[in-house]
């Protein structure tokens, strides 16, 4: 069977697993483990604390360091309240396009790597290839965070990674981080006629938001020189503020959902330290003058590192040679790439399909994109073969 036909068949199988982030991905992981194990891979499954989610690492080639990671996330976003032309979990082909939830984001890349695995298994590779499947990327890169913690403990660590998010096979060398928080305010309820006797959680939440907006303006002045991002600075925004029960009741509880998309770790630290100091030194003392039980607690929903462009990037050089690309871009959307970069690996994002189709009804990937991805992977196999 031709590689593209095998890829298409595997993709159909993967789409049939409804691996929405809220649900288990274990059936997909078991399917991948069986196929990759049959291709000669050394398969390791890392389950989470619930036992309902898992990452997979399938390694081919020598058991040495300096390996190449090919990574994709197994989870997909929900389909509820979307108007699909056909069953989103049954792949449909029409005019050179393959439709289904996850076709481009990002089971197409996973299918291509799995189709290539038997070929890689037959080669005498100069360095190992690690095919990695992760869980819960769509809700904070939870699986990848656990995976890189484990990889950090390996004696023989990989040295570069290709993250196969849909980029239309363009090379992406940078993206901002994505950090999401919920800050909860506990005040003291009371009658609206005596506001001085209560601790108005909504009012303190508003003051907190005001400080966040001040920090947002400061971030504009911290934009790196010649930043290629759009906008060039780290962004901060408030997505939700909730609290209160009635006009005449002093609200005792409020919460804020907010996010930061930093261009650098330094900006991340700057915002988090500044807003924590404001809550600790300004807001809490005033709240606790009235109620010792008043509190402000920030919950980390997800902290995903950005991918910072670097001058010396082996992954960029290799993928450029394989694809013929003359340059590399940066993008607005986030990926797991920064987590691998923090391990000291050189990393790029490059995969089949368009991000414009991701998360939408009637999501699709062009078969020509899968073919282009297979061309890259075959080139990589040839580059790593000792017989070349």
């Amino acid at each position: 069977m031709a590689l593209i036909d095998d890829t298409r068949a595997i993709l159909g199988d993967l789409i049939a697993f409804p691996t929405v982030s809220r649900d288990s991905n274990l059936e997909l992981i078991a399917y991948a483990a069986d196929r990759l194990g049959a291709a000669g891979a050394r398969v390791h499954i890392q389950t989470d604390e619930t036992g309902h989610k898992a990452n997979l690492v399938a390694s081919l080639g020598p058991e040495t360091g300096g390996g190449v990671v090919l990574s994709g996330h197994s989870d997909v976003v929900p389909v509820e309240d979307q108007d699909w032309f056909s069953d989103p979990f049954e792949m449909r082909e029409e005019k050179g396009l393959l439709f289904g939830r996850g076709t481009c984001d990002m089971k197409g890349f996973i299918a291509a790597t799995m189709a290539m695995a038997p070929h890689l298994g037959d080669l005498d590779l100069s360095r190992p290839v690690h095919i990695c499947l992760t869980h819960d990327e769509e809700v904070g890169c939870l699986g990848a965070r656990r995976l890189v913690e484990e990889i950090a403990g390996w004696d023989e660590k990989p040295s570069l990674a290709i993250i196969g998010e849909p980029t239309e096979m363009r090379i992406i060398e940078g993206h901002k981080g994505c950090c999401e928080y919920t800050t909860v305010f506990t005040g003291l309820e009371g009658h609206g006629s005596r506001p001085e006797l209560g601790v108005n959680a909504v009012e303190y939440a508003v003051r907190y938001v005001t400080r966040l907006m001040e920090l947002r303006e400061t971030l504009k002045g911290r934009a790196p020189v010649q930043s290629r991002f759009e906008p060039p600075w780290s962004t901060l925004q408030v997505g939700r503020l909730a609290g209160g029960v009635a006009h005449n009741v002093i609200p005792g509880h409020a919460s804020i959902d907010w996010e930061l998309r930093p261009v650098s770790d330094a900006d991340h630290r700057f915002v988090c330290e500044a807003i924590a100091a404001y809550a600790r030194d300004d807001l809490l003392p005033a709240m606790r003058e009235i109620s010792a039980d008043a509190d402000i607690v920030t919950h980390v929903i997800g902290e995903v590192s950005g991918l910072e462009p670097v001058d010396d990037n082996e992954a960029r050089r290799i993928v450029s040679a394989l694809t013929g690309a003359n340059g590399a871009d940066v993008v607005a959307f986030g990926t797991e790439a920064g987590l691998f970069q923090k391990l000291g690996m050189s990393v790029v994002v490059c995969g089949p399909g368009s991000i414009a189709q991701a998360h939408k009804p009637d999501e699709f990937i062009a078969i020509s994109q899968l073919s282009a991805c297979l061309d890259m992977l075959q080139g990589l196999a040839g580059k790593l073969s000792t017989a070349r």
Side-chain angles (χ1 to χ4, degrees):
M1 182 181 291
L3 272 177
I4 187 60
D5 295 328
D6 201 13
T7 300
R8 187 161 34 192
I10 293 171
L11 181 55
D13 291 342
L14 295 176
I15 297 305
F17 295 108
T19 51
V20 177
S21 301
R22 63 172 178 258
D23 300 322
S24 175
N25 71 334
L26 293 184
E27 290 186 358
L28 182 150
I29 293 297
Y31 167 85
D34 286 344
R35 288 197 70 113
L36 293 168
R42 304 178 297 278
V43 176
H44 168 64
I45 295 175
Q46 179 194 42
T47 55
D48 73 351
E49 61 278 359
T50 71
H52 296 298
K53 300 287 184 74
N55 298 319
L56 176 147
V57 180
S59 301
L60 296 150
E63 297 186 48
T64 61
V68 177
V69 168
L70 303 174
S71 185
H73 63 81
S74 63
D75 60 317
V76 297
V77 297
V79 297
E80 285 82 2
D81 300 321
Q82 291 187 337
D83 186 15
W84 283 73
F85 181 77
S86 58
D87 184 346
F89 297 111
E90 182 177 337
M91 194 173 74
R92 174 174 62 90
E93 182 176 344
E94 183 177 334
K95 297 180 179 179
L97 305 178
L98 301 173
F99 293 84
R101 174 55 86 222
T103 46
C104 78
D105 188 21
M106 57 181 298
K107 292 179 177 179
F109 178 76
I110 294 173
T113 61
M114 290 179 62
M116 276 297 302
H119 179 54
L120 290 167
D122 289 339
L123 296 176
D124 184 13
L125 299 175
S126 59
R127 57 202 292 189
V129 174
H130 307 285
I131 298 173
C132 297
L133 309 186
T134 61
H135 66 84
D136 289 331
E137 186 271 350
E138 298 289 3
V139 291
C141 297
L142 305 183
R145 282 193 274 172
R146 295 181 61 252
L147 179 61
V148 297
E149 288 176 2
E150 180 168 303
I151 293 174
W154 290 5
D155 292 332
E156 304 288 354
K157 297 179 181 61
S159 62
L160 68 89
I162 301 170
I163 313 301
E165 290 278 5
T167 68
E168 297 178 286
M169 298 305 297
R170 293 181 302 127
I171 300 172
I172 304 302
E173 63 175 346
H175 63 71
K176 295 180 182 181
C178 184
C179 306
E180 297 179 341
Y181 306 97
T182 295
T183 302
V184 178
F185 297 78
T186 302
L188 179 64
E189 289 186 348
H191 197 282
S193 65
R194 296 295 304 274
E196 75 281 5
L197 299 181
V199 178
N200 191 312
V202 168
E203 290 183 9
Y204 282 98
V206 169
R207 290 171 63 181
Y208 188 95
V209 169
T210 300
R211 179 60 179 143
L212 285 175
M213 296 302 96
E214 292 171 353
L215 292 170
R216 181 170 72 179
E217 292 305 306
T218 302
L219 288 171
K220 293 179 181 179
R222 293 171 58 97
V225 176
Q226 297 181 330
S227 171
R228 294 155 59 195
F229 291 107
E230 183 60 40
W233 51 79
S234 299
T235 59
L236 193 160
Q237 72 99 25
V238 175
R240 186 186 70 96
L241 192 160
V245 295
H247 292 78
N248 60 349
V249 177
I250 300 168
H253 297 277
S255 63
I256 301 165
D257 293 342
W258 58 283
E259 72 159 18
L260 171 68
R261 293 183 180 260
V263 299
S264 67
D265 286 341
D267 276 1
H268 180 213
R269 290 192 300 271
F270 166 72
V271 169
C272 290
E273 290 172 2
I275 195 64
Y278 179 65
R280 180 186 66 243
D281 301 336
D282 293 82
L283 299 184
L284 270 176
M287 296 168 71
R288 287 176 175 169
E289 281 186 5
I290 300 170
S291 172
D293 295 328
D295 206 359
I296 302 172
V297 177
T298 294
H299 301 280
V300 177
I301 306 304
E303 290 180 323
V304 180
S305 300
L307 176 63
E308 297 192 34
V310 294
D311 293 334
D312 185 18
N313 188 332
E314 183 191 11
R316 183 185 61 216
R317 290 195 301 272
I318 288 176
V319 177
S320 293
L322 296 177
T323 63
N326 294 321
D329 300 321
V330 299
V331 291
F333 63 86
T335 76
E336 299 169 335
L339 295 167
F340 290 94
Q341 187 181 55
K342 278 186 171 296
L343 287 181
M345 301 168 64
S346 64
V347 186
V348 294
V349 182
C350 182
S354 170
I355 195 66
Q357 303 305 322
H359 299 190
K360 293 183 178 179
D362 298 320
E363 176 183 345
F364 68 81
I365 191 169
I367 295 174
S368 60
Q369 283 284 300
L370 291 176
S371 295
C373 182
L374 288 169
D375 288 343
M376 179 188 74
L377 294 175
Q378 287 181 291
L380 179 65
K383 186 176 183 63
L384 298 181
S385 173
T386 60
R388 62 189 174 90

